C-alpha cells in the first residue's frame, strides 16, 4: 500500500476574489507531499484570476499545479469532467474557491480510504460559517468538540435519497470508482446530489471523524440559489435526479425514501413559486403512489399558483440555515 498516494484537487473559482487566497493558503498548509492541483477560474468577472496569478507568483507552492483561465463560464459539471480527464491521482477532491480545506483533511481521509477497500469515498464533518458570524458543525458536537450523534456509514443509499446526511464538500473520492460511475452528469446544473446517490447505489461510504472543510454560507454561492424564487436553476436538476432515482430504486423502502424527498422538494418549490417544477415533483409522486392530505394540499397549491415567495425569501435571509 502506497503510504502517500497521489491526490488530485480540482479547485474551481468563480467571482471569489474575497475568498480565494484563504482557499489557496489552506492547500499550501496541508503539508501533504503528493498533490496535483488544477486551478480553474471559470470566467470570473472580478479580480479572481489576477489574485490567483499573484498568489502563485508570491508563494511558489510546494504542490504541482496547472491553471486554466476560461474567458467564458462553462457549465460546472462539464468543466470539472474536462479537467478530471487530465488528472492522475488515485484519489480526488472537488474544492470550491470559497471553501477552506482544514489541516490534516487529506491525510486523514486517505488513511480511512486505504483501510476501506472498495469504498467509493470518504466524508467528514464540516464547519459552516454564516454571514452573521455564527459557526456550527454539520454534525452535532459537544462543547469540547466530541461527536455527539450517530453517523451512518456503509450502505447509505436510502438516507441520501431521503435527506442530506453527508456534507458533499467533505468528500474525497476514489478516482477509479468516480471514473466507473461516469463522473458528473453534464446535463445537470449541479453535481453533488446526483453523484452521491449514484455512488451510494453500488458502493460503500466511509466516515473519518475530523472536521475537514470550512464551508462559507453566503448569498453569492451557487447553492444559495437552490430555491431562488420563480427562477431556480437547481430545482429542475433536482427533479431530474429524483426521476433517475425512481429507476435506480430496488426496494419499497427506497421508494418511500424518495417520496419523502419529493414532498420536501415540492414544499420548497411551492414556497419559492417555482410552480412548474413543483408540478413535476407532484407528477413523480403520483407515479410512486403518493396520497394523503399533505400531498393533496400541495397539488391544490400548485394549481392555484399562490405566490408567497417574498415571505419565503425574507425568512431565508433571517434564518439562512
Amino acid at each position: 500500500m502506497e503510504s502517500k498516494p497521489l491526490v488530485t484537487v480540482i479547485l474551481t473559482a468563480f467571482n471569489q476574489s474575497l475568498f480565494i487566497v484563504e482557499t489557496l493558503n489552506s492547500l499550501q498548509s496541508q503539508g501533504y507531499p503528493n498533490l496535483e492541483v488544477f486551478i480553474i477560474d471559470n470566467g470570473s468577472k472580478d479580480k479572481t484570476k489576477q489574485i490567483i496569478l499573484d498568489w502563485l507568483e508570491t508563494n511558489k507552492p510546494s504542490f504541482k499545479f496547472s491553471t486554466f483561465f476560461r474567458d467564458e463560464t462553462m457549465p460546472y459539471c462539464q468543466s470539472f469532467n474536462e479537467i478530471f480527464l487530465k488528472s492522475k491521482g488515485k484519489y480526488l477532491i472537488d474544492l470550491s474557491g470559497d471553501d477552506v480545506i482544514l489541516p490534516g483533511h487529506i491525510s486523514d481521509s486517505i488513511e480511512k480510504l486505504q483501510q476501506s477497500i472498495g469504498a467509493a469515498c470518504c466524508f467528514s464533518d464540516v464547519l459552516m460559517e454564516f454571514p452573521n458570524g455564527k459557526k456550527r458543525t454539520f454534525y452535532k458536537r459537544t462543547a469540547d468538540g466530541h461527536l455527539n450523534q450517530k453517523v451512518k456509514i456503509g450502505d447509505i443509499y436510502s438516507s441520501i435519497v431521503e435527506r442530506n446526511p453527508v456534507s458533499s464538500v467533505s468528500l474525497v473520492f476514489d478516482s477509479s470508482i468516480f471514473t466507473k460511475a461516469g463522473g458528473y452528469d453534464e446535463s445537470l446544473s449541479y453535481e453533488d446530489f446526483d453523484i452521491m446517490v449514484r455512488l451510494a447505489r453500488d458502493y460503500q461510504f466511509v466516515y473519518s471523524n475530523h472536521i475537514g472543510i470550512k464551508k462559507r454560507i453566503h448569498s453569492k454561492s451557487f447553492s444559495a440559489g437552490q430555491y431562488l424564487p420563480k427562477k431556480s436553476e437547481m430545482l429542475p436538476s433536482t427533479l431530474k435526479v429524483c426521476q433517475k432515482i425512481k429507476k435506480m430504486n430496488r426496494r419499497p423502502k427506497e421508494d418511500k425514501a424518495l417520496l419523502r424527498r419529493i414532498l420536501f422538494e415540492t414544499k420548497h418549490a411551492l414556497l419559492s413559486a417555482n410552480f412548474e417544477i413543483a408540478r413535476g415533483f407532484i407528477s413523480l409522486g403520483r407515479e410512486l403512489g403518493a396520497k394523503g392530505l399533505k400531498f393533496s394540499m400541495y397539488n391544490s397549491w400548485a394549481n392555484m399558483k399562490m405566490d408567497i415567495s417574498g415571505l419565503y425569501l425574507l425568512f431565508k435571509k433571517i434564518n439562512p440555515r
Side-chain angles (χ1 to χ4, degrees), residues 78-139:
Q78 180 184 348
S79 172
F80 188 93
N81 285 347
E82 180 182 284
I83 300 303
F84 175 66
L85 291 176
K86 303 176 186 294
S87 70
K88 297 179 180 179
K90 184 174 182 179
Y91 299 104
L92 170 67
I93 294 173
D94 180 354
L95 185 64
S96 173
D98 57 354
D99 292 334
V100 174
I101 188 164
L102 298 177
H105 175 57
I106 295 178
S107 294
D108 291 346
S109 300
I110 299 308
E111 181 179 356
K112 182 64 69 170
L113 280 167
Q114 289 181 315
Q115 296 168 359
S116 310
I117 303 301
C121 53
C122 177
F123 63 100
S124 59
D125 205 351
V126 169
L127 180 65
M128 297 181 291
E129 184 176 276
F130 295 89
N132 59 9
K134 291 186 177 181
K135 298 178 182 180
R136 68 175 175 88
T137 51
F138 185 80
Y139 299 115

Side-chain angles (χ1 to χ4, degrees), residues 28 41 64 216 303 314:
Q28 179 81 313
D41 178 76
K64 294 177 289 184
R216 291 185 174 91
N303 289 332
L314 178 62

Side-chain angles (χ1 to χ4, degrees), residues 269-282:
L270 290 168
L271 286 166
S272 59
N274 287 282
F275 296 115
E276 183 179 348
I277 301 302
R279 284 194 291 268
F281 282 116
I282 290 167

Side-chain angles (χ1 to χ4, degrees), residues 176-190:
S176 64
I177 293 177
F178 186 85
T179 300
K180 288 178 184 177
Y184 290 154
D185 182 341
E186 295 183 11
S187 71
L188 303 174
S189 65
Y190 73 102

Side-chain angles (χ1 to χ4, degrees), residues 175-243:
S175 294
S176 64
I177 293 177
F178 186 85
T179 300
K180 288 178 184 177
Y184 290 154
D185 182 341
E186 295 183 11
S187 71
L188 303 174
S189 65
Y190 73 102
E191 77 295 341
D192 50 358
F193 181 28
D194 177 69
I195 192 65
M196 285 197 294
V197 291
R198 285 193 286 121
L199 290 176
R201 175 73 285 175
D202 296 312
Y203 300 96
Q204 303 285 299
F205 282 39
V206 294
Y207 173 69
S208 177
N209 187 22
H210 69 272
I211 302 174
I213 299 286
K214 181 177 79 172
K215 178 177 177 58
R216 291 185 174 91
I217 310 298
H218 59 90
S219 60
K220 294 184 179 180
S221 67
F222 183 70
S223 60
Q226 183 173 10
Y227 302 115
L228 188 68
K230 302 178 186 178
K231 52 182 178 180
S232 169
E233 293 182 35
M234 298 179 72
L235 272 172
S237 289
T238 303
L239 174 58
K240 185 172 183 178
V241 176
C242 288
Q243 292 166 337

